[in-house]
Amino acid sequence: MSRLLPALLVSAALAMPATAMAHGPQSSANHTMPGVIQVTATANVDVVPDQASVSAGVQSDGKTAQEAMARNSELMRNVFATLAANGIAEKDIATTTLNLNPRYDYEQRTNGQPLLVGYRASNQVTVKSRDLNSTGRLIDALLQAGLNTINSVNFIVSEPEPAQAQARDAAIDKAMAKARFMADSANVRLGRLLSLQEGTSASPIRYNEGMMA
């Protein structure tokens, strides 16, 4: 069974001055040519997520705006009750958007304008699940409670700093080794570090096979 392993990718770009070493009887200080060696290295660390973030919501239609909003409010009450019953704390629930839009039938027209047939209310929430093993059951319960749109399910690491530091150290070590190799191959001598840049990203996640069944 595959585990959940997002890889933290850290790239280290080093800029280091390199001084050419002159040889032979013509050598002098004037022949020393300073330059810069720039290298980039990437390291990744696999991390097991400990949380899931579910973005989902409810869409409700009605002939009037009031009817659409009333239906939406009723379904959202069921959704919040289901979240509480599944042990989701209020601090882990956030309402992200609430919209009310008219619905038109463009095949039927009145005075050249599409016919207004009703309204659609939509309410989107983001839920944080701290128990990955129960995320699938939670989504199933929410669907039964009236949830009818699921935008995304993201798996996250609550404290990524230790893994990021590990990946950073590995990337810098690789970059330093590459710079030394290039300096030796070019017969130049490395100086002090001039600059260091970092970029971090996450790779695709391998899902637990039974989790989202």
Side-chain angles (χ1 to χ4, degrees):
M1 181 178 293
S2 179
R3 303 189 71 186
L4 302 171
L5 297 173
L8 296 178
L9 305 178
V10 176
S11 298
L14 304 180
M16 307 183 70
T19 301
M21 295 178 289
H23 299 279
Q26 301 298 324
S27 300
S28 68
N30 294 331
H31 292 89
T32 302
M33 302 174 59
V36 174
I37 292 179
Q38 292 183 329
V39 294
T40 300
T42 300
N44 67 280
V45 176
D46 287 341
V47 184
V48 179
D50 55 1
Q51 295 180 7
S53 177
V54 181
S55 174
V58 170
Q59 287 186 352
S60 304
D61 294 338
K63 293 183 179 180
T64 64
Q66 183 178 1
E67 181 181 346
M69 289 297 296
R71 290 181 177 176
N72 194 274
S73 296
E74 180 180 358
L75 289 173
M76 286 304 299
R77 284 195 294 271
N78 294 337
V79 168
F80 286 125
T82 299
L83 290 172
N86 281 269
I88 304 299
E90 290 187 8
K91 65 178 181 179
D92 292 331
I93 306 170
T95 300
T96 54
T97 58
L98 176 60
N99 295 315
L100 177 65
N101 299 301
R103 297 172 55 243
Y104 294 98
D105 184 344
Y106 290 93
E107 295 184 356
Q108 301 184 50
R109 294 181 176 271
T110 302
N111 297 326
Q113 300 298 320
L115 179 65
L116 176 66
V117 295
Y119 291 84
R120 171 168 294 170
S122 61
N123 200 333
Q124 302 294 317
V125 296
T126 299
V127 179
K128 183 182 294 183
S129 173
R130 300 178 184 273
D131 182 3
L132 292 182
N133 292 328
S134 66
T135 302
R137 293 192 300 272
L138 174 63
I139 293 176
D140 183 60
L142 289 173
L143 291 172
Q144 295 183 29
L147 196 77
N148 51 26
T149 60
I150 298 179
N151 302 318
S152 63
V153 180
N154 297 313
F155 296 93
I156 57 179
V157 179
S158 59
E159 296 181 0
E161 290 80 9
Q164 289 174 342
Q166 184 180 350
R168 183 183 301 113
D169 290 343
I172 292 175
D173 288 343
K174 286 184 179 180
M176 292 294 295
K178 185 184 295 185
R180 294 190 188 97
F181 177 82
M182 294 175 64
D184 291 343
S185 298
N187 196 31
V188 297
R189 182 171 54 250
L190 287 180
R192 62 184 179 86
L193 178 66
L194 292 178
S195 66
L196 175 63
Q197 296 178 333
E198 175 187 343
T200 304
S201 63
S203 72
I205 296 174
R206 299 196 295 273
Y207 294 96
N208 183 303
E209 295 173 353
M211 182 173 183
M212 298 303 297

